[in-house]
């Protein structure tokens, strides 16, 4: 290839559409139209676009921010539990962390939330969810800070072919950096735009940046506005006619002419007047082009960028719709439907994973227990006006009143559901356990009233019998017999009694049998001893009445060995402890 061919190759466009019919972007003439993809944008270019270009910045931010703009509600079926979890999420600023990680995934192709869970293991090891003591920190990073080290090779794992450990570079505000090895189970990943498997391999397991595919359209859009700005400056040009101009320029060795023209330009800029010689000069203004159609052209470029970014113009530009019948409502609703889809497919799995880890912590909102019914409900993106909200509350209040009158819900349930610590809610929470117990009680009352074919049954009396059996005042069998005596059939009496008194006067549990046997033996021993003492005391009293009680001399003999309850015989020695010890004799 000679030098001229190299120059032509360098001037040829390497990205965008190449129109071979008109010769635009190529030197040949053909009816075929080909597309040549540009090179991958570098990380430095992506950061420069996000930082410096307002539209690139908004394209990266608008989806995550709108998805989390109206907030969300954690649903577990327990309003107290939901409030505790919500307060915990606010404490950790979960919304801002997820918004940032999702934004980096759109800007750079990947973002993560590093969960600093204290499970007693090194961060390079898999997270032990059952041993999480506390969550120490949440750190947001983009894919540039995470370099895959090992990959999952288990073909039975859901993460087969995905990175297993990363080298994570954590930068501090002072410029210092720290490199640690982090297992993938400790990261909540937001991937970029969907791309092919081969492309993901080139991107080291990450997705594509949203700025990569709109870069060419974005450059055309900015170029159109830049060209329009140039046309505004050159739209009207002043023309100064001077006799013998070229001769004067050739003879002007000291730049007298140049100085004069500069002074004239300064005078025109400051006073809007032109100072010329009345005899030899004339000044006119020439309009070099019409600017009437530029607005329509810029609008087309704006639509081109809006279509490439898949963001309506009203949201991308932050302006109200204009034109006849241009409400913009259909475009916004279409965009909100896309946001709803992104909430379901991208945001919800990451959010539930983070909530679950926070709940598993022993110092978390649920003290290490994940609620059985854990779900997330996002607030509607299309918000109601104050008038619409007031109308909704009025209709809800009417509905609640009907439900309360029909005994579908209670007033306490409605009050606790509507006016929560986090604000008013149209969702109604019902304690199903309490409801089932109430339904069972109602069924029992209905059964008592019906009497299973015994019209003579007294409901109040039957309820008193069941209450006494439950309080273990009377045996269960006696209670069933009393119910039967009121006219109930034996089967009906058993059903009404239910489980009340099933452990009354029944055999003890196996673990208590030995203890009860020991207590019985001790009781029998004490009873026999008491009977022996009573017999001995009776004989002593009888002897005293007959005058036959003789007190023998004190002896030092050992007490006679007798068993509990044995009769004493003459000559037996009994040890009688003194209430007060005898005083010691005084010293001589």
């Amino acid at each position: 290839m000679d030098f001229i061919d190299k120059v032509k190759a360098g001037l040829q466009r390497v990205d965008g559409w190449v129109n071979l019919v008109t010769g635009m972007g190529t030197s040949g003439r053909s009816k075929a139209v080909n597309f040549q993809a540009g090179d991958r944008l570098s990380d430095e270019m992506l950061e420069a676009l996000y930082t410096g270009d307002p539209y690139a910045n908004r394209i990266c931010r608008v989806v995550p921010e709108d998805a989390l703009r109206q907030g969300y509600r954690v649903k577990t079926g327990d309003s107290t539990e939901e409030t505790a979890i919500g307060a915990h999420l606010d404490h950790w600023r979960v919304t801002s962390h997820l918004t940032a990680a999702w934004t980096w995934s759109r800007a750079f192709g990947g973002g993560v939330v590093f969960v600093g869970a204290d499970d007693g293991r090194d961060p390079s090891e898999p997270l032990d969810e059952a041993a999480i003591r506390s969550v120490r920190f949440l750190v947001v990073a983009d894919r540039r800070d995470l370099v895959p080290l090992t990959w999952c090779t288990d073909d039975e794992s859901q993460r087969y072919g995905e990175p297993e450990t990363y080298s994570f570079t954590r930068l501090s505000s002072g410029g210092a950096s720290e490199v640690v090895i982090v297992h993938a189970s400790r990261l909540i990943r937001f991937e970029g735009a969907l791309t092919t498997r081969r492309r993901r391999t080139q991107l080291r397991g990450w997705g594509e940046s949203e700025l990569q595919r709109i870069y060419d359209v974005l450059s055309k859009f900015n170029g159109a506005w830049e060209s329009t700005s140039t046309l505004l400056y050159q739209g009207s040009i002043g023309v100064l006619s001077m006799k013998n101009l070229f001769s004067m320029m050739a003879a002007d060795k000291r730049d007298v002419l140049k100085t004069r023209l500069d002074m004239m330009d300064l005078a025109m800029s400051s006073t809007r007047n032109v100072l010329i010689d009345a005899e030899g000069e004339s000044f006119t203004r020439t309009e070099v082009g019409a600017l009437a159609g530029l607005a329509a052209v810029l609008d087309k470029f704006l639509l081109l960028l809006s279509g490439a970014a898949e963001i309506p113009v009203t949201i991308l530009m932050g302006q109200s719709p204009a034109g006849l019948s241009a409400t913009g409502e259909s475009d916004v609703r279409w965009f909100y439907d896309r946001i709803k889809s992104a909430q379901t497919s991208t945001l919800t799995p990451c959010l539930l994973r983070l909530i679950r880890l926070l709940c598993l912590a022993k110092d978390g909102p649920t003290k290490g227990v994940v609620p059985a019914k854990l779900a997330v409900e996002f607030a509607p993106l299309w918000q109601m006006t104050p008038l619409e909200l007031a109308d909704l509350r009025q209709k809800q209040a009417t509905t609640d009143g009907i439900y309360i009158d029909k005994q579908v819900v209670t007033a306490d349930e409605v009050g606790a559901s509507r006016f929560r610590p986090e604000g008013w809610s149209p969702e109604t929470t019902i304690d199903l356990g309490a409801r089932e117990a109430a339904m069972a009680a109602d069924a029992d009352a209905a059964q008592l009233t019906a009497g299973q074919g015994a019209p003579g049954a007294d409901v109040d009396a039957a309820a008193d019998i069941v209450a006494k059996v439950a309080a273990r005042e009377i045996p269960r069998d006696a209670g069933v017999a009393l119910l039967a005596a009121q006219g109930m059939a034996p089967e009906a009496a058993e059903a009404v009694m239910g489980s009340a008194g099933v452990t009354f006067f029944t055999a003890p549990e196996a673990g208590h049998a030995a203890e009860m046997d020991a207590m019985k033996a001790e009781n029998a021993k004490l009873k026999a001893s008491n009977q022996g003492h009573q017999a001995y005391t009776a004989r002593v009293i009888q002897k005293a009445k007959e005058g036959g009680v003789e007190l023998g001399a004190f002896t030092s003999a050992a007490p006679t060995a007798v068993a509990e309850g044995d009769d004493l015989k003459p000559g037996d020695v009994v040890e009688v402890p003194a209430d007060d010890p005898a005083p010691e004799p005084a010293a001589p």
Side-chain angles (χ1 to χ4, degrees), residues 198-503:
R198 289 182 174 85
R199 184 66 168 173
R200 283 175 61 87
T201 302
Q202 298 174 3
L203 298 174
R204 297 185 297 185
W206 296 103
E208 194 69 78
S209 170
E210 293 287 344
L211 300 179
Q212 179 69 42
R213 61 185 177 85
I214 68 166
Y215 175 70
D216 184 58
V217 177
L218 182 63
S219 63
K220 292 177 181 179
F221 173 77
N222 288 326
W225 280 90
E226 186 67 25
S227 300
T228 303
S229 177
T230 302
L231 288 178
L232 290 176
Y233 283 110
Q234 297 179 353
S236 178
I237 300 177
V239 179
L240 178 64
S241 300
M242 300 181 65
K243 188 176 181 179
N244 300 324
L245 175 62
F246 292 102
S247 299
M248 295 172 60
M249 293 176 61
D252 188 14
K253 303 298 184 182
R254 298 182 179 180
D255 293 335
V256 176
L257 178 61
K258 180 178 181 301
T259 302
R260 179 184 174 187
L261 294 176
D262 290 341
M263 292 297 297
M264 185 177 62
D265 184 65
L266 290 174
M268 181 177 59
S269 299
S270 59
T271 65
R272 299 183 182 273
N273 297 319
V274 181
L275 303 178
I276 60 176
D277 191 337
E279 297 295 333
E281 301 173 353
S282 63
F283 180 83
T284 59
R285 181 168 292 279
T286 302
E287 302 296 331
V288 299
L291 303 178
L294 286 180
V297 174
L298 292 178
D299 287 342
K300 298 303 180 181
F301 276 102
L302 181 57
L303 290 175
L304 180 65
L305 179 61
S306 173
E310 297 181 340
I311 301 173
V313 174
T314 54
I315 294 178
L316 181 62
M317 303 299 293
Q319 66 180 20
S320 300
L324 295 176
S325 302
T327 62
E329 180 176 335
S330 60
D331 295 342
V332 174
R333 288 191 179 275
W334 168 84
F335 179 68
Y336 285 166
D337 289 341
R338 291 192 63 248
I339 294 295
K340 185 67 175 180
S341 176
Q343 288 176 339
T344 303
S345 60
T346 302
L347 181 58
T348 298
C350 297
L351 179 56
L352 286 177
R353 168 70 174 165
L354 183 53
I355 294 174
R356 188 171 184 273
L357 293 180
L358 292 174
C359 289
L360 284 171
K362 298 301 184 291
D363 60 351
T366 56
K367 307 304 179 184
V369 178
V370 178
K373 299 179 181 179
L374 181 60
V376 175
E377 180 182 348
F378 294 93
L381 297 174
W382 189 272
Q383 290 295 304
M384 294 181 292
T385 63
L387 182 60
E388 293 172 339
L389 183 59
D391 182 62
L392 173 63
R393 291 195 178 192
Q394 182 180 4
K395 292 179 179 178
Q396 186 66 56
T398 303
T399 304
D400 291 339
I402 296 174
Y403 283 156
I404 294 173
D405 292 340
K406 299 297 184 180
Q407 297 182 356
V408 177
V409 296
T410 65
D412 292 338
E413 289 174 338
V414 170
S417 300
R418 295 290 166 271
F419 306 100
R420 304 187 178 193
E422 59 269 23
W424 187 86
S425 173
E427 299 293 332
T428 304
T429 302
I430 298 176
D431 190 346
L432 295 179
R435 282 303 184 89
E436 292 175 356
M439 292 173 62
D442 292 342
D444 292 341
Q447 194 174 30
L448 289 173
T449 303
Q452 294 293 331
D458 190 340
V459 177
D460 294 335
D464 292 339
I465 293 172
V466 174
K468 290 182 178 181
V469 172
R472 298 188 178 184
E473 296 179 5
I474 60 175
R476 187 178 189 279
D477 294 341
V480 173
L482 290 174
L483 291 177
Q486 288 189 350
M488 289 187 183
E491 297 80 4
E494 287 286 350
V496 171
M497 188 62 65
S499 60
V502 293
T503 60

Side-chain angles (χ1 to χ4, degrees), residues 74-105:
V74 180
K75 301 182 66 176
T76 64
D78 186 341
S79 59
T80 303
E81 196 173 53
E82 293 171 0
T83 302
I85 295 176
H88 203 72
L89 297 180
D90 292 340
H91 168 74
W92 280 106
R93 299 186 298 117
V94 168
T95 298
S96 62
H97 284 83
L98 294 178
T99 302
W102 197 356
T103 300
W104 299 149
S105 72

